[in-house]
Amino acid sequence: MRNRVVTVTAALLLASAIHAKAQTKPAEATSGNAPWGVTGMADVGVRVTDANGDEARFERYRDLRSGLFTNCVFGKQTDGYLLDVTAKNIGYRDQQYAVDYQNSKFRFSFLYDSIPLNYCYNCLTPWREASANSWVLDDAVQNQVQKSRYPAPVTPLPPGFVAIPTNYLQNQLTSVYRAQAQTFEMQSRRDTTGVKFGYDMTNDVALSVDFTSTKKSGYQPFGMSHAFSNANELPVQLDNRTNDFGAAVEWVRPQGMFRAAFERSMFSNQFNDVLWDNPLNLTDYNNGLQPPSGPYDANGYSNGNGAARGRISSFPDNSMTVVSFMGLYKFNRTTTLNGTVQVSDQSNDDDLIPWTSNAQINQPSVWALFPHLAALPRPTAEAKVRGVNALVNFTSRPVRWMGVNAKYRHNTHSNISRPFPYDENVRFDAVSEETPGEFAEGHSVIRDTFDASVSFSPLAYSTLRVGYLYDNYDRTGRTHNDMRDQGMRLTWDTVGTAWLSVRVGYEYIDRTGFGFSEQAVEDAAAQPGLRFYDEADRERNRFNAMVTLTPFQTMDFTASVTYTDDHYGGPGMEFGLFDVTNTAYNVGVNYTPSDHVAMGVNYGRDDFSTYQRARNANPPPDPSWTDPNRDWTLDNDEKVNNVDVYVDLLNMFKNTGIRFAYNYSDSDNAFVLGGPRTVTLFNTIDANGFRTFEQLPDVTNDWQQFMIDLKYSFNAKVGFAIGYFYEKLSISDFATINLPGTDQPRIDYLGGLTTGYGNRPYNGSTFAARLLYTFLAPVTSIARRAGRSTGAAGPFFVRGTGFRGLAESGAGPPRI
Amino acid sequence: MLVAKQPYLCQRCHVTSRHPPTIYDGYLLKNSQNANRIYGRSCVVCHQMVHGSNSPNGKAFLR
């Protein structure tokens, strides 16, 4: 009973990784061969990695540097306690250590987990980090650029050079900042340290306390801009931490349970803002005039005549407190009621950054015209949200052939922050402007969801379910005040027979928006016929089917298909997203002719298709605003193929295990623009003789991975292993800009100075030779495909060990 | 939403005047400063004032 109740608890609450680990690990320890004893494996060796191209993408979430390979799992089980200790990738950026201990009264878990995120090893930037997150350019080059722009008489840049190219001819030149750029490795890392204690005060009452601290450090690419023509990307430094504390008391009886919990989450960021130099200005732009004609340039947001240094805000410090209560009552063997109530408080009171970093705007002569810019309305965010969540589940099976399940969920997200007025504003630290009556206010949501289903079992092994869904949103700040989903679903499951499994389902959901305000759309300067797809009227049709056939004990076939179509509409809808269709097919076969051989192959095909419409127009009263000849459309179609093949040979040759796997994925993502506006542009020739419309090339990629792992056991305890995996990505993406004829980043492309971060091809391989020491007694039978992940295959295939896990921890097939 | 590519993801909603409903095609990518809304970080290279600010502002393209 206790285990079953704990399972329900885990399903109802969002458990952290360490919680989940603490709950599952003791069960693993009990699955060994001997009821008591030592289990596990030490897998230690040497690794050699070689990679070419975009090496950071090859590694992505892992650290494959040549050196030591470690993957050790140790478990001990006595009649008094269970102990599991894990150490992986010792000394590397993806190292992990875990300890789980449990006796009859006390439970303890510890986890340290480090995960890198490798962006690029060949990015470049002309900015230098003078101090933490204060980025500077070479003053001499900035001055040279500024003198080439103003004041008159200007001094042109040397022939062949430009600051930031803004047209076709300039784009053939080289930026003066290209020579300033230095290559650097951009990577960040998440380090999670957590502990959890559990204590059974009595047979019925348990306490638990946990603390997890997650630090993020390193650098990530970040977009920031001085003007529409002067977009910049820098490697922003990260140094932030989230501390999560939780405490709970749980009372469990055979008839039910009750749990009360307290959680507190705190996020703190060492950086309140980021400062960076303007590539076009050494000093704040000053045309020598008085407001409103100066000293700033009214077009500075577009042409870059703005501040010498820009400033953007970084992620704000914030916190959340949650108090929750959960209960479960079992009326009888077939009827259960459980529920949860959570009350939460979220707060952000971080310092706000000033209106601007531009000294030419931060002065009395400008404040005389823009008095609201003299000071912020308040110095800190003063943002607060109160929340209430409630969930009730009722499950009953009053008769053998019928069951009922009903669920109600309520969520109140009440934003009680005071509105923040901005009657005046500064764009891009370049231009002060009037924005009368504008203010920002937090949005609130009240959501109620009811979901009920009835299941019938008219035939052996088969269940028919009929379900109903009601989901209502009441909210502020959107064009529709209210939105309601109503739907039904029908499923048929035939499972449990020895040779056949069938699952078929159909779902229809109709979404209707209420309280539409065309004024709200027009206030945002949008076309009145626009509907936002997350609140527009929508019809969803979803179908899925899966059949598994097992004609022989040694072979199974699986085929599945899923289809989802979302159609958006509603009165007056002219623009926005109209259709999204996803279709996925999979077929696979597994064959296990003997205890020593297992193999299988799977093929999958995914099709994604969307259709959207927009109008390229100037604001009213310009006639283009209502001109249907300015309409354009986009068909976005992506096709993806996946193939996975594996062969396992375990003890087919004496004391030898061989595993082979090959995975392949390709994608073709098309962006087909259409509509009358594209025709007009296609028929227009520019000054350089080019048609002013051109379809974008498809974004394509082709990813494959090959892995082989061979293990040989000298005796029941000691073995030797060699593993090799190879991974290759070919990719073509119009959003990644390279120097002509190379795969090297170009940082000075049209309208920007970037780090060059993008999607580039790579190939890489890793070889490892390892010594294995196992604590388990040999097991000769091979696991079927479904059992492979449990690691129950034999002495050298212990859970969590081996070379396969290394290959699987990469980025996988990319989605662009 | 996460598998749709910018700027077309943004344009599913931002059908407003001026640059949001611009046709971001191969011509702009090769010939215009507006190319910075197609390559790299696309729209969000400028929209950090919206997406990265700790100001309560946020519903308009402002600080």
Side-chain angles (χ1 to χ4, degrees), chain A residues 456-463 492:
Chain A
F456 303 94
S457 303
L459 303 171
Y461 305 113
S462 296
T463 304
W492 178 274

mmCIF file of all heavy atoms in Angstrom, chain A residues 456-463 492:
data_model
loop_
_atom_site.group_PDB
_atom_site.id
_atom_site.type_symbol
_atom_site.label_atom_id
_atom_site.label_comp_id
_atom_site.label_asym_id
_atom_site.label_seq_id
_atom_site.Cartn_x
_atom_site.Cartn_y
_atom_site.Cartn_z
ATOM 1 N N PHE A 456 -15.381 0.956 -20.893
ATOM 2 C CA PHE A 456 -16.162 -0.283 -20.964
ATOM 3 C C PHE A 456 -15.242 -1.402 -21.451
ATOM 4 O O PHE A 456 -14.382 -1.164 -22.305
ATOM 5 C CB PHE A 456 -17.318 -0.136 -21.960
ATOM 6 C CG PHE A 456 -18.238 1.005 -21.646
ATOM 7 C CD1 PHE A 456 -18.038 2.243 -22.238
ATOM 8 C CD2 PHE A 456 -19.291 0.847 -20.757
ATOM 9 C CE1 PHE A 456 -18.874 3.300 -21.951
ATOM 10 C CE2 PHE A 456 -20.142 1.907 -20.473
ATOM 11 C CZ PHE A 456 -19.935 3.139 -21.070
ATOM 12 N N SER A 457 -15.452 -2.567 -20.925
ATOM 13 C CA SER A 457 -14.649 -3.722 -21.339
ATOM 14 C C SER A 457 -15.583 -4.819 -21.836
ATOM 15 O O SER A 457 -15.847 -5.811 -21.136
ATOM 16 C CB SER A 457 -13.811 -4.239 -20.166
ATOM 17 O OG SER A 457 -13.001 -3.217 -19.657
ATOM 18 N N PRO A 458 -16.112 -4.646 -23.049
ATOM 19 C CA PRO A 458 -17.104 -5.611 -23.551
ATOM 20 C C PRO A 458 -16.475 -6.934 -23.946
ATOM 21 O O PRO A 458 -17.161 -7.959 -23.980
ATOM 22 C CB PRO A 458 -17.684 -4.893 -24.773
ATOM 23 C CG PRO A 458 -16.588 -3.987 -25.238
ATOM 24 C CD PRO A 458 -15.843 -3.580 -24.021
ATOM 25 N N LEU A 459 -15.171 -6.913 -24.294
ATOM 26 C CA LEU A 459 -14.490 -8.132 -24.710
ATOM 27 C C LEU A 459 -13.267 -8.338 -23.842
ATOM 28 O O LEU A 459 -12.723 -7.383 -23.262
ATOM 29 C CB LEU A 459 -14.054 -8.020 -26.183
ATOM 30 C CG LEU A 459 -15.154 -7.741 -27.208
ATOM 31 C CD1 LEU A 459 -14.526 -7.449 -28.569
ATOM 32 C CD2 LEU A 459 -16.101 -8.938 -27.288
ATOM 33 N N ALA A 460 -12.816 -9.562 -23.799
ATOM 34 C CA ALA A 460 -11.609 -9.856 -23.038
ATOM 35 C C ALA A 460 -10.434 -9.081 -23.621
ATOM 36 O O ALA A 460 -10.318 -8.925 -24.839
ATOM 37 C CB ALA A 460 -11.319 -11.352 -23.087
ATOM 38 N N TYR A 461 -9.611 -8.575 -22.785
ATOM 39 C CA TYR A 461 -8.392 -7.839 -23.146
ATOM 40 C C TYR A 461 -8.665 -6.496 -23.820
ATOM 41 O O TYR A 461 -7.738 -5.850 -24.295
ATOM 42 C CB TYR A 461 -7.489 -8.667 -24.076
ATOM 43 C CG TYR A 461 -7.111 -10.004 -23.543
ATOM 44 C CD1 TYR A 461 -7.570 -11.169 -24.156
ATOM 45 C CD2 TYR A 461 -6.308 -10.127 -22.410
ATOM 46 C CE1 TYR A 461 -7.243 -12.417 -23.659
ATOM 47 C CE2 TYR A 461 -5.970 -11.369 -21.908
ATOM 48 C CZ TYR A 461 -6.436 -12.515 -22.538
ATOM 49 O OH TYR A 461 -6.104 -13.749 -22.036
ATOM 50 N N SER A 462 -9.912 -6.087 -23.932
ATOM 51 C CA SER A 462 -10.198 -4.874 -24.707
ATOM 52 C C SER A 462 -10.976 -3.870 -23.872
ATOM 53 O O SER A 462 -11.804 -4.231 -23.036
ATOM 54 C CB SER A 462 -11.024 -5.219 -25.952
ATOM 55 O OG SER A 462 -10.257 -6.039 -26.804
ATOM 56 N N THR A 463 -10.661 -2.592 -24.104
ATOM 57 C CA THR A 463 -11.326 -1.511 -23.376
ATOM 58 C C THR A 463 -11.702 -0.401 -24.345
ATOM 59 O O THR A 463 -10.882 0.049 -25.151
ATOM 60 C CB THR A 463 -10.392 -0.933 -22.285
ATOM 61 O OG1 THR A 463 -9.980 -1.981 -21.421
ATOM 62 C CG2 THR A 463 -11.096 0.153 -21.482
ATOM 63 N N TRP A 492 -9.783 2.871 -28.181
ATOM 64 C CA TRP A 492 -9.974 1.412 -28.098
ATOM 65 C C TRP A 492 -8.607 0.783 -27.862
ATOM 66 O O TRP A 492 -7.673 1.021 -28.629
ATOM 67 C CB TRP A 492 -10.577 0.870 -29.390
ATOM 68 C CG TRP A 492 -10.737 -0.630 -29.363
ATOM 69 C CD1 TRP A 492 -9.801 -1.558 -29.691
ATOM 70 C CD2 TRP A 492 -11.886 -1.354 -28.951
ATOM 71 N NE1 TRP A 492 -10.288 -2.823 -29.518
ATOM 72 C CE2 TRP A 492 -11.580 -2.737 -29.059
ATOM 73 C CE3 TRP A 492 -13.153 -0.993 -28.496
ATOM 74 C CZ2 TRP A 492 -12.494 -3.736 -28.735
ATOM 75 C CZ3 TRP A 492 -14.054 -2.006 -28.176
ATOM 76 C CH2 TRP A 492 -13.719 -3.365 -28.294
#
